[in-house]
Amino acid sequence: MKTGIYFFFLSAAAFVILSSNARAAGPAPRETLLFDFGWKFHLGDDWPDAENLEKAGASKGPAGRRFDDSQWQTINLPHDWVVTLPFDRTASYNQGYKPVGPGFPSNSIAWYRRTFDLPAEDAGKRIWIQFDGVFRDANVFVNGWRVGHHEGGYNGFRYDITDVANCGGHNVVAVRVDASKFEGWFYQGAGIYRHVWLIKTAPLAIAPDGIFVWSHFKNNVPKGRPEIHVQAELLNTETNAATATVKWEIFSPEGQEVAEVHKTAVLGGNSDCEVADLTRISKPELWSPESPALYKLVTTVESGGQTLDREETPFGVRTIAFDPDKGFLLNGKHYEIKGTCNHQDHAGVGSALPDRLQYFRIAKLKEMGCNAYRTSHNEPTAELLDACDRLGMLVMDENRLLGSDPANLALFKQEILRDRNHPSVFIWSICNEESRQSDPDGGRVGATMQNFVNRLDPTREVTAAESVGDVYSGLMSTLEVRGWNYHIGQDMDNYHHEHPQQPEIGTEQGSTVGTRGIYVNDKARGYVSAYDSNFPHWADTSERWWSYFADRPWLSGGFYWTGFDYRGEPTPYKWPCINSHFGILDTCGFPKDNFWYYQASWTDKPVLHLLPHWNWPGKEGQNIDVWCYANCAQVELFLNGQSLGRKAMPRNLHLEWQVPYSPGTLSAKGYDEAGTVVSSTEVETTGAPDFVDLKPDRNTIAADGEDLSIITVSVRDEPGRVVPTASNLVHFEIQGPGKIIGVGNGDPSCHEPDQYPTQSGWQRSVFNGLAQIIVQSSKIPGEIVLKATADGLKPATIYIQAQSCEPRPCVE
């Protein structure tokens, strides 16, 4: 598996990475074409009568067929227009002080247009347009026809545009996006911020999200030959009845065929039909975060001697269960959830993350020892789940809102059908901290939703992330697995004693606040000390929550709030803060000191970390609070070679010394129980900033118009050490077949732009020595040259090779 993962990192989008259902491979007539390139964009709504309510197919303005959009901005998807807006103190702090939504109508509505051709041979096929995510209210027009209206910023949607498509000629799709309303109390962005696809199928084909595959061991014990259940929903859009044969082939992680089964069904005209069967495989390779073995199901539909459709579906073989006493069980054994909750934005790009960033972020969390990810508080993008499947990360897949009304259940159904083949998904969460969570009607609504999930997916249990304590009313009494947001201590112990048959899990815990590289609270600048000692009234330190959970296996482990900092919801300060301080990593993915607390507690790798930095001019002789995170038996601290004492290292906690400051070297040695040195580390007083350094996460990327190199920018002293207090402004120049798509630095109070309108003038200050720049390839192979300069510092230049590849099929 290591080889496969490494290859994916090298060529993140050089070939199609299949989601659970809808990224089909195989011969025509099915085509799944990426529809991301070459869109036209206009911020504002100058055409209030674009939709013609008098006559169908006669839309006006940008919704019409002949509108001139040549002066609009040309962009590629995914796209978040809010990230480009300036900060505004009068805007909502929950949205990161970006001027969008109520009070900012001119920034809250935008139009997208894309012209494209369809060949004449597409006549007779079914043609779909699929949007994976648009925030928030989307009206979609094709060739002047209004084909659909979707509300909800997180769920995908698709429309059959066959009747209005012009095969053998020009077509135009237009989307009016309205982000005037918010769906959450955190940054949400706006626009077509996930992928769009053009999908062509035969009239008789696999229905959208129509594949379901799951494994079953006898008594849920992972021994012997598991059953593999396969299911396909077929859709016949012709008026005549048809006989179809569905063939399922299963391939091992090594690519060997291990099973085949087929079944024939008769479909009436204009009808759908579910076809199901089962088979067995021998010596299964079990999926887990430590060994993410993926099988592949190939589903083929044949009729009249012709192959009509084919889809490939990655899946995993594993068992999951919850036990009231043993907690969560993976593959028959207790498995501690070491998770983080996360929103979906990243520095530089807002909510519009290219696929490669999903892998980058999951890899950062795994480095820390994290093994689970909660998609707070909404349906994730499919590419995030692909990354979790392939890299090995369990997922709590969360629905946006509590509600048993048809509209809400329809959104939830789309999420379940799309995501249920992902082995990473181990539990469904129906909602987060709803206001009616303890009420009887909340319980009835929750029961309906839970039963709804069970019908669509009988393989996983259901929870909800709720913020009440020792309360069994409402949702808590109906849930298969009780979810805990905070309330550690007596509430949890009492509840477990009173309801011993209900499994439990920590759905949201911690919420420590801290700023990377800051060690004194500074309200004026909006910074919080990075020591694990600051938290809101409802929350706890990292040490307190994890040490409590670690001693109680029945809690199954839990999810810390949050893995990454995110825009909006600044806590504990508001302006000038524009993002949260909860993250273990900042918005760029640079670790804060708590990263090493979790790494010491969550992994077996030797960890020895000291904080703070050792640059304190003017504080000579004053005591500095020195903390140590480690997982060895004892730690000895030294200042300039002189021992300051050896202490026993308590489990899941930290060590602390008061050290009079003297410039030089603060160092530590870690010892095992026999007194042997097993680890060492040091923190040095650095010199003045001397040069800029650029370190790409990869020097070679795919020339597919999608792949990225994520580059760490640092300011270093002459010996090459990062200057931990540096704040130099760095300027960037790029040449060759690539472009800069975003910059950031993790500073929660930085109001510098994340994006610039052209490829000139890009700049970003480093925050405590670090910044990040994201470079994306074009479809032309060659050498990308990135240069960084800063006043008074030596410059840096790096070379990134964009290698020729076969881009995934797309609409030209």
Side-chain angles (χ1 to χ4, degrees), residues 98 125 170 189 241 250 297 367 470 472 531 624 652 703 723:
K98 289 288 189 174
K125 297 180 182 179
H170 298 300
I250 297 174
L297 174 71
E367 180 185 349
D470 182 14
Y472 192 62
Y531 293 109
I624 302 294
N652 294 325
V723 180

Side-chain angles (χ1 to χ4, degrees), residues 486-539:
Y486 312 106
H487 292 279
I488 69 170
Q490 201 61 50
D491 272 357
M492 289 185 180
D493 288 338
N494 289 346
Y495 188 94
H496 181 60
H497 177 73
E498 295 160 1
H499 310 288
Q501 300 307 311
Q502 186 180 34
E504 302 171 55
I505 189 170
T507 41
E508 184 174 318
Q509 296 296 325
S511 286
T512 308
V513 289
T515 307
R516 176 178 58 79
I518 296 293
Y519 300 98
V520 178
N521 291 344
D522 188 340
K523 184 176 181 179
R525 294 197 298 165
Y527 298 149
V528 188
S529 162
Y531 293 109
D532 185 26
S533 55
N534 298 287
F535 54 94
H537 65 87
W538 68 84

Side-chain angles (χ1 to χ4, degrees), residues 313-333:
T313 307
F315 72 99
V317 177
R318 84 286 187 265
T319 67
I320 51 176
F322 282 86
D323 183 272
D325 299 315
K326 298 177 182 179
F328 175 61
L329 304 176
L330 176 65
N331 296 325
K333 299 178 181 178

Side-chain angles (χ1 to χ4, degrees), residues 717-757:
D717 66 1
E718 189 173 10
R721 300 168 297 195
V722 174
V723 180
T725 57
S727 58
N728 306 71
L729 181 64
V730 182
H731 305 270
F732 304 101
E733 298 177 18
I734 191 167
Q735 296 177 341
K739 64 181 180 180
I740 304 169
I741 64 169
V743 289
N745 61 12
D747 182 349
S749 298
C750 182
H751 298 172
E752 298 170 22
D754 289 82
Q755 297 181 4
Y756 291 81

Side-chain angles (χ1 to χ4, degrees), residues 694-696 698-701 709 711 733-736 775 782-787 796-802:
L694 298 174
K695 280 193 168 48
R698 295 180 303 154
N699 292 299
T700 301
I701 60 177
S709 183
I711 298 148
E733 298 177 18
I734 191 167
Q735 296 177 341
V775 171
E783 186 174 73
I784 302 168
V785 182
L786 180 69
K787 184 176 182 180
T797 302
I798 59 169
Y799 304 89
I800 301 166
Q801 301 302 319

Side-chain angles (χ1 to χ4, degrees), residues 542-560:
S542 290
E543 290 186 8
R544 184 163 186 262
W545 91 264
W546 181 250
S547 59
Y548 179 88
F549 270 71
D551 290 337
R552 292 164 175 80
W554 47 266
L555 278 170
S556 303
F559 294 84
Y560 172 82

Side-chain angles (χ1 to χ4, degrees), residues 440-695:
D441 51 359
R444 294 192 296 271
V445 169
T448 296
M449 294 183 74
Q450 184 166 264
N451 292 335
F452 183 76
V453 174
N454 294 158
R455 291 196 300 272
L456 295 173
D457 178 15
T459 71
R460 298 172 177 91
E461 295 187 88
V462 175
T463 189
E466 297 306 337
S467 54
V468 295
D470 182 14
V471 175
Y472 192 62
S473 61
L475 270 177
M476 278 54 68
S477 64
T478 66
L479 293 170
E480 292 169 336
V481 180
R482 164 69 199 266
W484 285 98
N485 284 16
Y486 312 106
H487 292 279
I488 69 170
Q490 201 61 50
D491 272 357
M492 289 185 180
D493 288 338
N494 289 346
Y495 188 94
H496 181 60
H497 177 73
E498 295 160 1
H499 310 288
Q501 300 307 311
Q502 186 180 34
E504 302 171 55
I505 189 170
T507 41
E508 184 174 318
Q509 296 296 325
S511 286
T512 308
V513 289
T515 307
R516 176 178 58 79
I518 296 293
Y519 300 98
V520 178
N521 291 344
D522 188 340
K523 184 176 181 179
R525 294 197 298 165
Y527 298 149
V528 188
S529 162
Y531 293 109
D532 185 26
S533 55
N534 298 287
F535 54 94
H537 65 87
W538 68 84
D540 296 286
T541 65
S542 290
E543 290 186 8
R544 184 163 186 262
W545 91 264
W546 181 250
S547 59
Y548 179 88
F549 270 71
D551 290 337
R552 292 164 175 80
W554 47 266
L555 278 170
S556 303
F559 294 84
Y560 172 82
W561 185 269
T562 54
F564 291 84
D565 277 344
Y566 54 93
R567 299 165 187 268
E569 201 177 18
T571 307
Y573 312 128
K574 294 184 172 58
W575 186 270
C577 286
I578 46 83
N579 68 246
S580 79
H581 293 77
F582 295 116
I584 303 169
L585 303 103
D586 67 19
T587 55
C588 296
F590 297 133
K592 304 178 189 179
D593 292 288
N594 267 359
F595 179 95
W596 287 277
Y597 166 74
Y598 286 104
Q599 192 179 66
S601 300
W602 286 357
T603 75
D604 294 327
K605 66 178 69 173
V607 176
L608 183 59
H609 175 75
L610 296 175
L611 64 146
H613 60 70
W614 209 238
N615 282 32
W616 299 101
K619 291 194 173 185
E620 288 77 6
Q622 299 181 31
N623 279 343
I624 302 294
D625 196 8
V626 174
W627 285 28
C628 174
Y629 293 131
N631 51 11
C632 51
Q634 293 180 320
V635 175
E636 186 174 9
L637 187 69
F638 301 84
L639 178 60
N640 295 326
Q642 181 178 352
S643 176
L644 302 181
R646 185 187 298 194
K647 297 183 179 181
M649 184 70 224
R651 176 174 168 266
N652 294 325
L653 298 172
H654 74 279
L655 291 176
E656 192 170 341
W657 286 264
Q658 291 293 311
V659 180
Y661 176 65
S662 177
T665 302
L666 185 71
S667 62
K669 293 181 180 179
Y671 302 88
D672 63 16
E673 293 179 353
T676 303
V677 175
V678 292
S679 55
S680 63
T681 190
E682 63 181 28
V683 182
E684 297 179 305
T685 305
T686 71
D690 182 73
F691 67 93
V692 180
D693 186 52
L694 298 174
K695 280 193 168 48

